[in-house]
Amino acid sequence: MSDSWKASLPCTKAEAEAVAADISQLVLLETTPVLMTREPDPARPEEWLLEAYFDEEPGAETLAALKTLTPSAADAEPVVEKLSDEDWVTLSQQGLEPIRAGRFFVHTPAHRDKVPAEAVPLEIDAGRAFGTGQHETTTGCLMALDRLKATGGHFSNILDLGTGTGLLAFAALKLWPAARVTASDIDPVSIEVTEENAGINRIALGRARGQVELAVAPGLEHARLKARAPYDLIIANILAGPLIELAPSVAAALQPGGRLMLAGLLDHQADAVAAAYRRQGLMLSSSIVRGDWPTLVMRKRKSLGWR
């Protein structure tokens, strides 16, 4: 077994919650780490720790990129440790307990034997892309999908925009197995990870009903994404800024009466994000709040077209 390494940096609670939502500084590195955040001392709830696990010793460029995720620790140097007797993947996943969100049970390989009989299991490794189910935004989206199904929602053409690990695309297909599902991300690494996770979860890839089609694309700028429009359900778990910027193109790709799920935004950003989509003819129909992270479900007015 090869040596493994850990680099640690102090961070704030806000940085810990947001860190996995934007790993753009890390995905282009030769060695992309597994990121974990934790609260070392519950008596100091604002003082968190970022830990990055590597399968080789991180260099200066890698550590500099890691520091961009924790601006509050600008003057701190990462503490780098060699973990020669540990399997770094197993170590990184020890703190990842399974997540129960509605009917879904999201777990790592270490908890395969813990799946409740009535649950819909989804296995996602902690790894190179965002979306293990641990973050409140992902959990909120899973709960919102479950609620849509429970209240009679039926969807046949679904887009998961900014898919991360593929988790939400897979969850949507589990709920509506006859649907066509598209999963896209601006990050090629995310699409590689999604393809790997599809195999683990026995999700068929392709363009037919009951399959997930993958695409590397910024926003909706891809021929296949445009060809598949209009969608009756779009899931966008990204960040508030891109959500606002993409509002015209996302709303245009949604069919009249279609649903839009927005996440990756903080409480104080929700009004601005919702307003951007109201200007495009959408109405807020429901929301789920997990900690500081709301998930908004909006509906496009039926009087509007989609082009």
Side-chain angles (χ1 to χ4, degrees):
M1 180 173 59
S2 63
D3 293 337
S4 51
W5 296 77
K6 180 176 77 171
S8 304
L9 272 170
C11 64
T12 65
K13 179 183 178 182
E15 289 168 346
E17 291 176 332
V19 68
D22 183 8
I23 59 171
S24 58
Q25 298 295 321
L26 304 181
V27 296
L28 298 180
L29 296 174
E30 185 174 345
T31 300
T32 306
V34 171
L35 298 180
M36 298 286 295
T37 57
R38 61 186 179 90
E39 182 185 16
D41 184 357
R44 299 180 176 181
E46 296 304 317
E47 297 180 12
W48 283 58
L49 192 66
L50 169 66
E51 297 174 330
Y53 294 87
F54 302 85
D55 56 3
E56 62 183 49
E57 184 176 5
E61 180 186 3
T62 298
L63 294 176
L66 187 66
K67 287 186 66 173
T68 65
L69 302 179
T70 58
S72 65
D75 296 330
E77 289 301 319
V79 176
V80 180
E81 305 171 69
K82 184 178 180 181
L83 306 170
S84 57
D85 296 325
E86 298 279 357
D87 178 338
W88 68 276
V89 173
T90 301
L91 181 62
S92 71
Q93 293 183 0
Q94 284 178 350
L96 290 182
E97 292 300 317
I99 294 295
R100 189 66 189 262
R103 70 195 71 196
F104 297 107
F105 185 84
V106 185
H107 64 93
T108 64
H111 296 92
R112 286 174 182 164
D113 59 346
K114 301 291 196 303
V115 180
E118 76 284 1
V120 176
L122 291 165
E123 181 176 314
I124 304 291
D125 285 1
R128 297 176 293 164
F130 172 57
T132 61
Q134 299 293 321
H135 197 281
E136 300 289 12
T137 62
T138 311
T139 303
C141 287
L142 290 169
M143 295 174 67
L145 286 170
D146 183 77
R147 180 186 289 178
L148 284 174
K149 178 68 174 182
T151 54
H154 177 76
F155 304 100
S156 60
N157 190 22
I158 301 168
L159 171 62
D160 180 14
L161 186 68
T163 193
T165 60
L167 173 60
L168 298 178
F170 303 160
L173 189 61
K174 293 285 188 180
L175 295 177
W176 298 284
R180 289 186 175 91
V181 179
T182 306
S184 71
D185 204 288
I186 192 173
D187 179 11
V189 173
S190 289
I191 296 303
E192 292 174 9
V193 171
T194 297
E195 186 172 6
E196 294 168 6
N197 287 334
I200 292 170
N201 289 278
R202 299 182 181 179
I203 299 290
L205 298 179
R207 298 181 176 181
R209 292 190 178 278
Q211 297 180 337
V212 175
E213 182 176 0
L214 306 180
V216 178
L220 283 101
E221 293 305 313
H222 191 285
R224 285 299 303 162
L225 299 186
K226 294 177 181 178
R228 282 217 165 179
Y231 301 93
D232 52 9
L233 173 62
I234 297 177
I235 306 161
N237 180 17
I238 42 179
L239 294 170
L243 287 175
I244 292 172
E245 181 181 348
L246 291 170
S249 58
V250 170
L254 190 66
Q255 75 177 32
R259 303 294 181 90
L260 173 63
M261 190 175 297
L262 302 170
L265 52 142
L266 288 159
D267 270 342
H268 69 271
Q269 299 168 325
D271 288 344
V273 172
Y277 286 87
R278 280 198 299 270
R279 289 192 289 270
Q280 304 300 321
L282 280 77
M283 304 173 293
L284 182 65
S285 59
S286 65
S287 65
I288 291 175
V289 179
R290 301 275 302 177
D292 297 326
W293 302 87
T295 298
L296 310 179
V297 179
M298 306 192 75
R299 188 167 190 166
K300 187 171 181 178
R301 298 178 188 274
K302 292 185 177 181
S303 60
L304 297 174
W306 65 273
R307 289 194 180 278

